[in-house]
Short mmCIF file of all heavy atoms in Angstrom, two decimals:
data_model
loop_
_atom_site.label_atom_id
_atom_site.label_comp_id
_atom_site.label_asym_id
_atom_site.label_seq_id
_atom_site.Cartn_x
_atom_site.Cartn_y
_atom_site.Cartn_z
N LEU J 253 -20.04 20.21 7.31
CA LEU J 253 -20.21 18.80 7.67
C LEU J 253 -20.95 18.68 8.99
O LEU J 253 -21.91 17.90 9.12
CB LEU J 253 -18.85 18.12 7.76
CG LEU J 253 -18.88 16.66 8.20
CD1 LEU J 253 -19.57 15.78 7.17
CD2 LEU J 253 -17.46 16.15 8.45
N ASN J 254 -20.54 19.44 9.99
CA ASN J 254 -21.21 19.38 11.29
C ASN J 254 -22.66 19.81 11.19
O ASN J 254 -23.53 19.28 11.89
CB ASN J 254 -20.47 20.24 12.31
CG ASN J 254 -19.20 19.58 12.81
OD1 ASN J 254 -19.01 18.38 12.66
ND2 ASN J 254 -18.32 20.37 13.41
N SER J 255 -22.94 20.77 10.32
CA SER J 255 -24.32 21.21 10.12
C SER J 255 -25.17 20.06 9.59
O SER J 255 -26.28 19.81 10.06
CB SER J 255 -24.35 22.40 9.16
OG SER J 255 -25.68 22.84 8.95
N ALA J 256 -24.64 19.34 8.59
CA ALA J 256 -25.38 18.21 8.01
C ALA J 256 -25.55 17.09 9.02
O ALA J 256 -26.63 16.48 9.12
CB ALA J 256 -24.65 17.71 6.77
N MET J 257 -24.50 16.81 9.78
CA MET J 257 -24.56 15.71 10.74
C MET J 257 -25.49 16.01 11.91
O MET J 257 -26.23 15.15 12.37
CB MET J 257 -23.15 15.38 11.21
CG MET J 257 -22.26 14.83 10.10
SD MET J 257 -20.54 14.56 10.60
CE MET J 257 -20.73 13.14 11.67
N THR J 258 -25.46 17.25 12.37
CA THR J 258 -26.35 17.64 13.47
C THR J 258 -27.80 17.59 13.02
O THR J 258 -28.69 17.13 13.76
CB THR J 258 -25.99 19.06 13.96
OG1 THR J 258 -24.64 19.05 14.43
CG2 THR J 258 -26.91 19.49 15.08
N TYR J 259 -28.06 18.02 11.79
CA TYR J 259 -29.41 17.95 11.25
C TYR J 259 -29.89 16.51 11.17
O TYR J 259 -31.02 16.18 11.56
CB TYR J 259 -29.45 18.60 9.87
CG TYR J 259 -30.77 18.43 9.16
CD1 TYR J 259 -31.90 19.14 9.57
CD2 TYR J 259 -30.90 17.55 8.09
CE1 TYR J 259 -33.13 18.97 8.93
CE2 TYR J 259 -32.11 17.39 7.44
CZ TYR J 259 -33.23 18.09 7.86
OH TYR J 259 -34.44 17.93 7.24
N ALA J 260 -29.05 15.63 10.67
CA ALA J 260 -29.43 14.22 10.55
C ALA J 260 -29.76 13.63 11.91
O ALA J 260 -30.77 12.93 12.08
CB ALA J 260 -28.30 13.43 9.88
N ASN J 261 -28.94 13.91 12.89
CA ASN J 261 -29.19 13.39 14.23
C ASN J 261 -30.50 13.91 14.79
O ASN J 261 -31.29 13.16 15.38
CB ASN J 261 -28.02 13.76 15.15
CG ASN J 261 -28.18 13.24 16.56
OD1 ASN J 261 -28.74 13.90 17.43
ND2 ASN J 261 -27.71 12.03 16.79
N LYS J 262 -30.77 15.20 14.58
CA LYS J 262 -32.02 15.80 15.08
C LYS J 262 -33.24 15.14 14.43
O LYS J 262 -34.29 14.98 15.06
CB LYS J 262 -32.00 17.30 14.79
CG LYS J 262 -33.26 18.05 15.23
CD LYS J 262 -33.11 19.54 15.01
CE LYS J 262 -33.06 19.89 13.54
NZ LYS J 262 -34.39 19.74 12.87
N GLU J 263 -33.08 14.75 13.17
CA GLU J 263 -34.18 14.11 12.45
C GLU J 263 -34.30 12.62 12.76
O GLU J 263 -35.18 11.95 12.21
CB GLU J 263 -33.99 14.32 10.94
CG GLU J 263 -34.10 15.76 10.49
CD GLU J 263 -35.47 16.35 10.78
OE1 GLU J 263 -36.48 15.75 10.35
OE2 GLU J 263 -35.54 17.40 11.46
N GLY J 264 -33.42 12.10 13.59
CA GLY J 264 -33.53 10.70 14.01
C GLY J 264 -32.65 9.73 13.27
O GLY J 264 -32.82 8.51 13.40
N THR J 265 -31.69 10.22 12.48
CA THR J 265 -30.80 9.35 11.71
C THR J 265 -29.47 9.22 12.42
O THR J 265 -28.72 10.19 12.55
CB THR J 265 -30.58 9.91 10.29
OG1 THR J 265 -31.84 10.07 9.64
CG2 THR J 265 -29.70 8.98 9.48
N LEU J 266 -29.17 8.02 12.88
CA LEU J 266 -27.88 7.75 13.53
C LEU J 266 -26.82 7.58 12.46
O LEU J 266 -26.97 6.78 11.53
CB LEU J 266 -27.98 6.49 14.38
CG LEU J 266 -26.76 6.16 15.25
CD1 LEU J 266 -26.62 7.18 16.37
CD2 LEU J 266 -26.88 4.74 15.82
N LEU J 267 -25.72 8.32 12.57
CA LEU J 267 -24.64 8.27 11.59
C LEU J 267 -23.53 7.36 12.09
O LEU J 267 -22.84 7.69 13.06
CB LEU J 267 -24.11 9.68 11.33
CG LEU J 267 -25.13 10.67 10.78
CD1 LEU J 267 -24.52 12.07 10.67
CD2 LEU J 267 -25.66 10.23 9.43
N VAL J 268 -23.38 6.23 11.46
CA VAL J 268 -22.36 5.24 11.83
C VAL J 268 -21.24 5.34 10.81
O VAL J 268 -21.47 5.16 9.61
CB VAL J 268 -22.95 3.83 11.88
CG1 VAL J 268 -21.88 2.81 12.23
CG2 VAL J 268 -24.11 3.77 12.88
N ILE J 269 -20.01 5.61 11.28
CA ILE J 269 -18.94 6.02 10.38
C ILE J 269 -17.64 5.28 10.70
O ILE J 269 -17.25 5.14 11.85
CB ILE J 269 -18.70 7.55 10.48
CG1 ILE J 269 -20.03 8.30 10.24
CG2 ILE J 269 -17.65 7.99 9.50
CD1 ILE J 269 -19.94 9.79 10.44
N ALA J 270 -16.97 4.81 9.66
CA ALA J 270 -15.69 4.14 9.81
C ALA J 270 -14.66 5.09 10.42
O ALA J 270 -14.55 6.25 10.03
CB ALA J 270 -15.20 3.65 8.45
N ALA J 271 -13.88 4.58 11.39
CA ALA J 271 -12.88 5.41 12.07
C ALA J 271 -11.63 5.62 11.23
O ALA J 271 -10.86 6.54 11.50
CB ALA J 271 -12.50 4.77 13.41
N GLY J 272 -11.41 4.80 10.23
CA GLY J 272 -10.24 4.97 9.37
C GLY J 272 -9.21 3.88 9.57
O GLY J 272 -9.14 3.23 10.62
N ASN J 273 -8.37 3.74 8.58
CA ASN J 273 -7.45 2.61 8.51
C ASN J 273 -5.99 3.03 8.41
O ASN J 273 -5.20 2.42 7.69
CB ASN J 273 -7.82 1.75 7.31
CG ASN J 273 -9.29 1.44 7.26
OD1 ASN J 273 -9.84 0.78 8.12
ND2 ASN J 273 -9.95 1.97 6.24
N ASP J 274 -5.61 4.08 9.12
CA ASP J 274 -4.27 4.64 9.02
C ASP J 274 -3.37 4.25 10.19
O ASP J 274 -2.26 4.76 10.31
CB ASP J 274 -4.36 6.17 8.97
CG ASP J 274 -5.33 6.65 7.92
OD1 ASP J 274 -4.98 6.61 6.74
OD2 ASP J 274 -6.47 7.02 8.28
N SER J 275 -3.86 3.37 11.08
CA SER J 275 -3.13 3.01 12.30
C SER J 275 -2.77 4.27 13.09
O SER J 275 -1.73 4.34 13.74
CB SER J 275 -1.86 2.21 11.99
OG SER J 275 -2.16 1.07 11.24
N ALA J 276 -3.65 5.26 13.05
CA ALA J 276 -3.36 6.57 13.62
C ALA J 276 -3.98 6.73 15.01
O ALA J 276 -5.11 6.29 15.25
CB ALA J 276 -3.88 7.67 12.71
N ASP J 277 -3.24 7.38 15.88
CA ASP J 277 -3.74 7.74 17.21
C ASP J 277 -4.45 9.09 17.09
O ASP J 277 -3.83 10.15 17.20
CB ASP J 277 -2.58 7.82 18.20
CG ASP J 277 -3.02 8.17 19.62
OD1 ASP J 277 -4.23 8.39 19.83
OD2 ASP J 277 -2.15 8.25 20.50
N LEU J 278 -5.75 9.05 16.85
CA LEU J 278 -6.50 10.28 16.64
C LEU J 278 -6.61 11.10 17.92
O LEU J 278 -6.82 12.31 17.85
CB LEU J 278 -7.90 9.93 16.11
CG LEU J 278 -7.95 9.11 14.82
CD1 LEU J 278 -9.40 8.83 14.43
CD2 LEU J 278 -7.22 9.81 13.69
N GLN J 279 -6.46 10.45 19.06
CA GLN J 279 -6.59 11.14 20.34
C GLN J 279 -5.49 12.18 20.53
O GLN J 279 -5.71 13.23 21.10
CB GLN J 279 -6.52 10.10 21.47
CG GLN J 279 -6.72 10.66 22.87
CD GLN J 279 -8.17 11.01 23.13
OE1 GLN J 279 -9.04 10.57 22.38
NE2 GLN J 279 -8.43 11.76 24.16
N HIS J 280 -4.30 11.87 20.04
CA HIS J 280 -3.15 12.74 20.32
C HIS J 280 -2.63 13.43 19.06
O HIS J 280 -1.52 13.95 19.06
CB HIS J 280 -2.04 11.92 20.98
CG HIS J 280 -2.45 11.33 22.30
ND1 HIS J 280 -2.85 10.04 22.46
CD2 HIS J 280 -2.55 11.91 23.52
CE1 HIS J 280 -3.18 9.82 23.73
NE2 HIS J 280 -3.01 10.94 24.39
N ASP J 281 -3.40 13.44 18.01
CA ASP J 281 -3.02 14.14 16.79
C ASP J 281 -3.57 15.56 16.89
O ASP J 281 -4.69 15.84 16.49
CB ASP J 281 -3.59 13.41 15.57
CG ASP J 281 -2.86 13.79 14.30
OD1 ASP J 281 -2.19 14.83 14.30
OD2 ASP J 281 -2.97 13.05 13.31
N LYS J 282 -2.76 16.46 17.41
CA LYS J 282 -3.24 17.79 17.79
C LYS J 282 -3.53 18.68 16.59
O LYS J 282 -4.37 19.58 16.67
CB LYS J 282 -2.22 18.49 18.70
CG LYS J 282 -1.91 17.74 19.98
CD LYS J 282 -3.15 17.54 20.83
CE LYS J 282 -2.84 16.85 22.14
NZ LYS J 282 -4.05 16.56 22.93
N ASN J 283 -2.86 18.48 15.47
CA ASN J 283 -2.98 19.39 14.34
C ASN J 283 -3.95 18.93 13.27
O ASN J 283 -4.32 19.70 12.38
CB ASN J 283 -1.60 19.61 13.70
CG ASN J 283 -0.63 20.26 14.66
OD1 ASN J 283 -0.98 21.19 15.38
ND2 ASN J 283 0.60 19.76 14.69
N PHE J 284 -4.36 17.66 13.36
CA PHE J 284 -5.20 17.10 12.31
C PHE J 284 -6.36 16.33 12.92
O PHE J 284 -6.27 15.83 14.04
CB PHE J 284 -4.39 16.16 11.40
CG PHE J 284 -3.24 16.82 10.72
CD1 PHE J 284 -1.98 16.83 11.30
CD2 PHE J 284 -3.41 17.46 9.51
CE1 PHE J 284 -0.91 17.45 10.68
CE2 PHE J 284 -2.34 18.08 8.87
CZ PHE J 284 -1.09 18.08 9.46
N ILE J 285 -7.45 16.25 12.17
CA ILE J 285 -8.59 15.44 12.60
C ILE J 285 -8.99 14.51 11.46
O ILE J 285 -8.57 14.67 10.31
CB ILE J 285 -9.80 16.31 13.01
CG1 ILE J 285 -10.23 17.22 11.86
CG2 ILE J 285 -9.49 17.09 14.26
CD1 ILE J 285 -11.50 18.01 12.17
N SER J 286 -9.81 13.53 11.79
CA SER J 286 -10.36 12.59 10.83
C SER J 286 -11.86 12.87 10.71
O SER J 286 -12.57 12.93 11.71
CB SER J 286 -10.13 11.16 11.32
OG SER J 286 -10.73 10.22 10.48
N LEU J 287 -12.31 13.08 9.47
CA LEU J 287 -13.72 13.38 9.22
C LEU J 287 -14.30 12.39 8.21
O LEU J 287 -13.58 11.92 7.34
CB LEU J 287 -13.88 14.80 8.67
CG LEU J 287 -13.51 15.95 9.60
CD1 LEU J 287 -13.61 17.29 8.86
CD2 LEU J 287 -14.39 15.97 10.84
N PRO J 288 -15.59 12.06 8.33
CA PRO J 288 -16.58 12.61 9.26
C PRO J 288 -16.66 11.92 10.61
O PRO J 288 -17.47 12.28 11.45
CB PRO J 288 -17.89 12.43 8.50
CG PRO J 288 -17.67 11.21 7.67
CD PRO J 288 -16.22 11.24 7.28
N ASN J 289 -15.80 10.92 10.88
CA ASN J 289 -15.97 10.16 12.12
C ASN J 289 -15.68 10.97 13.37
O ASN J 289 -16.10 10.59 14.46
CB ASN J 289 -15.11 8.89 12.11
CG ASN J 289 -13.63 9.19 12.07
OD1 ASN J 289 -13.15 9.69 11.06
ND2 ASN J 289 -12.90 8.88 13.12
N GLU J 290 -14.96 12.10 13.24
CA GLU J 290 -14.76 12.97 14.40
C GLU J 290 -15.69 14.19 14.32
O GLU J 290 -15.52 15.14 15.08
CB GLU J 290 -13.30 13.42 14.49
CG GLU J 290 -12.36 12.31 14.94
CD GLU J 290 -10.98 12.82 15.33
OE1 GLU J 290 -10.82 13.21 16.50
OE2 GLU J 290 -10.09 12.83 14.46
N GLY J 291 -16.66 14.15 13.42
CA GLY J 291 -17.63 15.22 13.32
C GLY J 291 -18.73 15.09 14.35
O GLY J 291 -18.80 14.13 15.12
N ALA J 292 -19.63 16.06 14.35
CA ALA J 292 -20.71 16.10 15.34
C ALA J 292 -21.62 14.88 15.19
O ALA J 292 -21.99 14.50 14.08
CB ALA J 292 -21.53 17.38 15.14
N GLN J 293 -21.95 14.27 16.32
CA GLN J 293 -22.96 13.20 16.41
C GLN J 293 -22.53 11.89 15.74
O GLN J 293 -23.35 10.99 15.57
CB GLN J 293 -24.30 13.64 15.78
CG GLN J 293 -24.77 15.03 16.15
CD GLN J 293 -25.08 15.18 17.62
OE1 GLN J 293 -25.30 14.21 18.31
NE2 GLN J 293 -25.11 16.42 18.10
N ALA J 294 -21.27 11.74 15.40
CA ALA J 294 -20.84 10.51 14.72
C ALA J 294 -20.66 9.36 15.70
O ALA J 294 -20.15 9.54 16.80
CB ALA J 294 -19.53 10.76 13.99
N VAL J 295 -21.09 8.18 15.28
CA VAL J 295 -20.72 6.94 15.96
C VAL J 295 -19.51 6.41 15.20
O VAL J 295 -19.63 5.86 14.11
CB VAL J 295 -21.86 5.92 15.95
CG1 VAL J 295 -21.41 4.59 16.53
CG2 VAL J 295 -23.05 6.46 16.74
N SER J 296 -18.34 6.62 15.76
CA SER J 296 -17.08 6.29 15.10
C SER J 296 -16.68 4.86 15.46
O SER J 296 -16.59 4.51 16.64
CB SER J 296 -16.00 7.28 15.55
OG SER J 296 -14.74 6.94 15.03
N VAL J 297 -16.42 4.04 14.44
CA VAL J 297 -16.24 2.60 14.66
C VAL J 297 -14.82 2.16 14.29
O VAL J 297 -14.38 2.32 13.14
CB VAL J 297 -17.26 1.79 13.86
CG1 VAL J 297 -17.13 0.30 14.19
CG2 VAL J 297 -18.68 2.28 14.15
N ALA J 298 -14.12 1.59 15.27
CA ALA J 298 -12.82 0.97 15.05
C ALA J 298 -13.02 -0.50 14.69
O ALA J 298 -14.11 -1.06 14.87
CB ALA J 298 -11.94 1.11 16.28
N SER J 299 -11.95 -1.13 14.22
CA SER J 299 -12.07 -2.48 13.68
C SER J 299 -11.29 -3.51 14.47
O SER J 299 -10.19 -3.24 14.96
CB SER J 299 -11.59 -2.49 12.23
OG SER J 299 -11.75 -3.78 11.65
N THR J 300 -11.86 -4.70 14.56
CA THR J 300 -11.20 -5.85 15.20
C THR J 300 -11.27 -7.05 14.26
O THR J 300 -12.02 -7.05 13.28
CB THR J 300 -11.89 -6.23 16.52
OG1 THR J 300 -13.16 -6.87 16.22
CG2 THR J 300 -12.13 -5.02 17.41
N GLY J 301 -10.50 -8.08 14.61
CA GLY J 301 -10.58 -9.31 13.83
C GLY J 301 -9.66 -10.37 14.37
O GLY J 301 -8.69 -10.08 15.08
N PRO J 302 -9.94 -11.61 14.05
CA PRO J 302 -9.09 -12.71 14.50
C PRO J 302 -7.87 -12.87 13.61
O PRO J 302 -7.82 -12.33 12.50
CB PRO J 302 -10.01 -13.93 14.36
CG PRO J 302 -10.87 -13.58 13.17
CD PRO J 302 -11.07 -12.09 13.23
N ILE J 303 -6.89 -13.59 14.08
CA ILE J 303 -5.77 -14.05 13.27
C ILE J 303 -5.73 -15.57 13.37
O ILE J 303 -5.67 -16.12 14.47
CB ILE J 303 -4.43 -13.46 13.74
CG1 ILE J 303 -4.41 -11.94 13.56
CG2 ILE J 303 -3.26 -14.11 13.01
CD1 ILE J 303 -4.42 -11.48 12.12
N GLY J 304 -5.81 -16.23 12.23
CA GLY J 304 -5.72 -17.68 12.20
C GLY J 304 -7.03 -18.41 12.22
O GLY J 304 -7.05 -19.63 12.43
N TYR J 305 -8.14 -17.73 11.94
CA TYR J 305 -9.44 -18.40 11.97
C TYR J 305 -9.52 -19.52 10.94
O TYR J 305 -10.08 -20.59 11.20
CB TYR J 305 -10.56 -17.38 11.74
CG TYR J 305 -11.94 -17.99 11.66
CD1 TYR J 305 -12.51 -18.59 12.78
CD2 TYR J 305 -12.66 -17.96 10.46
CE1 TYR J 305 -13.78 -19.15 12.71
CE2 TYR J 305 -13.93 -18.52 10.39
CZ TYR J 305 -14.49 -19.11 11.51
OH TYR J 305 -15.74 -19.68 11.44
N GLY J 306 -8.95 -19.30 9.77
CA GLY J 306 -9.04 -20.28 8.71
C GLY J 306 -8.25 -21.55 8.96
O GLY J 306 -8.40 -22.53 8.21
N LEU J 307 -7.43 -21.56 9.99
CA LEU J 307 -6.65 -22.77 10.29
C LEU J 307 -7.48 -23.81 11.02
O LEU J 307 -7.14 -25.00 11.01
CB LEU J 307 -5.43 -22.40 11.13
CG LEU J 307 -4.49 -21.36 10.51
CD1 LEU J 307 -3.33 -21.06 11.45
CD2 LEU J 307 -3.97 -21.83 9.15
N SER J 308 -8.59 -23.37 11.66
CA SER J 308 -9.42 -24.32 12.41
C SER J 308 -10.92 -24.06 12.26
O SER J 308 -11.72 -24.92 12.60
CB SER J 308 -9.06 -24.25 13.90
OG SER J 308 -9.38 -22.96 14.42
N PHE J 309 -11.28 -22.86 11.79
CA PHE J 309 -12.68 -22.42 11.73
C PHE J 309 -13.35 -22.54 13.11
O PHE J 309 -14.50 -22.92 13.22
CB PHE J 309 -13.47 -23.19 10.67
CG PHE J 309 -12.99 -22.90 9.28
CD1 PHE J 309 -12.18 -23.81 8.61
CD2 PHE J 309 -13.30 -21.70 8.66
CE1 PHE J 309 -11.71 -23.53 7.33
CE2 PHE J 309 -12.83 -21.41 7.38
CZ PHE J 309 -12.03 -22.33 6.72
#
Side-chain angles (χ1 to χ4, degrees):
L253 177 66
N254 283 343
S255 179
M257 294 175 71
T258 299
Y259 173 73
N261 181 270
K262 179 176 68 72
E263 294 298 306
T265 303
L266 186 69
L267 299 175
V268 178
I269 306 175
N273 311 295
D274 309 283
S275 304
D277 181 359
L278 303 179
Q279 183 75 15
H280 298 99
D281 200 342
K282 301 300 183 184
N283 297 318
F284 300 92
I285 58 175
S286 175
L287 294 175
N289 64 293
E290 287 193 87
Q293 315 295 340
V295 174
S296 175
V297 185
S299 183
T300 73
I303 295 293
Y305 176 66
L307 303 179
S308 64
F309 294 102

